[in-house]
Amino acid sequence: MFEVDKFTRTENTEAAYTKQAVFMLENYAKNAGKDWDQDHGQLIDWLSSKRDSSSAAYWGRIRSALVFFFKNNGNPDLAASIKAISKDRCAPPTHTSANKKKSVSDTELVSLANYLLREGSSKISIQTYQFFLSGIITGMRPSEWEFCDFRILRDAKELRLQDFGGGENVSPEMVDGIKIVVQNAKATNGRAHGEFRTLLFPKLHPQEKEVLLDHYRSVEHARDLGQFPLFQRQCSDKLRYAGQKLWPSKRKRISLYSGRHQSMANGKASNLPANVIAAMHGHATDRTAGEHYGRKQFGVSGRVYMQVPADEVARVREIPSTWSPPAISREKERNNSGS
């Protein structure tokens, strides 16, 4: 097992918030042609327009990061103004989970590859396939790619793409393994086992390394431009379009999130303990994956790519299989209704 850096929760959170805030402010400067400190009112208006086109979850993460950043840099009034931009006008979700497929068979994967990677395919088609396959390999939520820390393991060292003189200079043969520190998307509402999770990939095939490298290059490029949400949406739209063309009669469509479901199904088929599967996917308890994600019967035994540190597995709460939510008696219901 590769050695894992030991960070405190505070250090991790502050570093992630700072990184997110800087990305947003650099994006603002490119769009407005001026720095944020030149016109606070224009910055607030710009952030409000971003809120209107963002999901509540995404805006909540960005707002928290900016509030922290400005408080930490001596701008409490600006922090308060940003905190006042509520989630009420955030864009509603466009697709319900009821219509999303929770597994992907090898046959479907081959069909997707043939369609998205066919001769003359657009760049976004290729990126969509890489995004989808990366979801199966890592089990990450699509949105979690934006602020993850991606490291290459080589000669017992952890290196960034930039350490090789640029990401395009890294080939699969140069990579011993990959480490990704993921900021858990559901941590703020208690549905994750901590702020972060660590995914280690010490035994990937060259093709799998290449997919992750290429995908992360695309993520990094979009992130540097402040356009990751747009990149994710474009890939999601392209995958949905491919599904409509390949399987027009199917109600449930393959989505980017289907890769995460398949990752958990593979873990179940490989008979991994429930708390290990939970730690791999950032869940607070060992029941979440079993109740809401891909089924064992759709998984492939042995097709698990990642490892997680034992101390992160220990953070997962184990819930007895006999546990059920407390029932409310009919008598209590009648009393509460005033009848």
Side-chain angles (χ1 to χ4, degrees):
M1 178 70 71
F2 294 98
E3 184 177 354
V4 179
D5 289 340
K6 296 295 190 293
F7 298 111
T8 67
R9 171 174 174 161
T10 301
E11 289 170 345
N12 266 313
T13 304
E14 291 182 355
Y17 277 175
T18 299
K19 194 172 186 179
Q20 291 174 24
V22 168
F23 279 135
M24 289 298 292
L25 296 176
E26 288 178 345
N27 191 21
Y28 167 75
K30 290 176 183 177
N31 282 269
K34 63 177 73 173
D35 290 334
W36 62 266
D37 55 353
Q38 292 181 271
D39 190 335
H40 290 182
Q42 185 173 340
L43 173 63
I44 295 298
D45 289 343
W46 183 80
L47 289 172
S48 296
S49 69
K50 284 288 184 183
R51 179 273 315 271
D52 294 347
S53 60
S54 301
S55 68
Y58 178 76
W59 171 245
R61 295 200 302 275
I62 294 301
R63 184 179 61 182
S64 296
L66 289 167
V67 168
F68 164 80
F69 179 84
F70 285 119
K71 280 185 177 179
N72 200 46
N73 286 279
N75 292 276
D77 292 340
L78 185 53
S81 296
I82 293 172
K83 189 174 183 179
I85 305 175
S86 72
K87 298 180 181 180
D88 295 344
R89 290 176 56 185
C90 285
T94 55
H95 306 290
T96 64
S97 58
N99 293 326
K100 294 179 180 177
K101 217 167 167 294
K102 293 189 176 182
S103 65
V104 54
S105 68
D106 285 352
T107 301
E108 290 170 325
L109 196 56
V110 169
S111 296
L112 273 177
N114 290 337
Y115 183 83
L116 293 171
L117 304 180
R118 66 192 186 278
E119 186 175 354
S121 292
S122 64
K123 182 178 180 180
I124 196 65
S125 289
I126 297 170
Q127 291 173 322
T128 297
Y129 180 74
Q130 292 167 344
F131 202 151
F132 183 71
L133 206 57
S134 295
I136 297 177
I137 295 172
T138 66
M140 290 168 59
R141 299 175 179 90
S143 63
E144 289 177 331
W145 283 99
E146 183 173 11
F147 300 113
C148 70
D149 186 14
F150 187 97
R151 302 290 182 91
I152 291 168
L153 305 173
R154 178 175 171 83
D155 298 331
K157 296 179 181 178
E158 294 182 9
L159 304 168
R160 300 179 187 274
L161 292 181
Q162 294 84 347
D163 295 327
F164 292 85
E168 67 278 1
N169 296 323
V170 184
S171 65
E173 294 74 22
M174 301 166 65
V175 178
D176 296 332
I178 290 172
K179 170 184 170 181
I180 307 177
V181 178
V182 185
Q183 183 180 355
N184 287 324
K186 305 284 183 160
T188 55
N189 59 12
R191 291 168 62 186
H193 68 328
E195 291 283 343
F196 296 85
R197 69 184 184 275
T198 307
L199 306 179
L200 301 167
F201 303 87
K203 295 180 180 180
L204 293 172
H205 292 297
Q207 297 92 333
E208 294 154 1
K209 294 178 186 177
E210 186 171 16
V211 165
L212 290 183
L213 288 170
D214 285 347
H215 174 56
Y216 188 70
R217 290 185 187 107
S218 298
V219 167
E220 198 167 49
H221 178 70
R223 192 171 62 182
D224 289 346
L225 295 175
Q227 296 179 349
F228 178 83
L230 174 62
F231 171 65
Q232 180 183 334
R233 187 164 63 251
Q234 288 174 331
C235 290
S236 180
D237 290 345
K238 176 62 71 173
L239 187 60
R240 185 170 64 255
Y241 180 80
Q244 290 170 346
K245 289 294 184 181
L246 291 169
W247 306 287
S249 61
K250 288 187 177 181
R251 181 177 66 86
K252 293 196 174 184
R253 303 291 185 185
I254 287 177
S255 69
L256 290 178
Y257 221 96
S258 300
R260 177 170 166 84
H261 282 281
Q262 188 60 46
S263 173
M264 287 188 229
N266 291 346
K268 296 173 186 178
S270 301
N271 293 318
L272 292 183
N275 59 345
V276 172
I277 296 175
M280 287 176 168
H281 298 87
H283 288 151
T285 76
D286 61 357
R287 285 191 62 169
T288 303
E291 295 179 349
H292 303 291
Y293 286 85
R295 298 179 183 177
K296 181 176 182 178
Q297 68 193 78
F298 297 123
V300 181
S301 178
R303 200 174 289 177
V304 176
Y305 304 88
M306 69 193 107
Q307 299 175 4
V308 286
D311 61 330
E312 294 190 13
V313 176
R315 295 205 305 258
V316 175
R317 300 195 308 274
E318 296 186 19
I319 298 179
S321 58
T322 55
W323 181 90
S324 61
I328 300 176
S329 68
R330 293 184 181 274
E331 182 63 33
K332 186 175 181 179
E333 287 179 334
R334 284 196 294 271
N335 290 340
N336 287 341
S337 66
S339 58

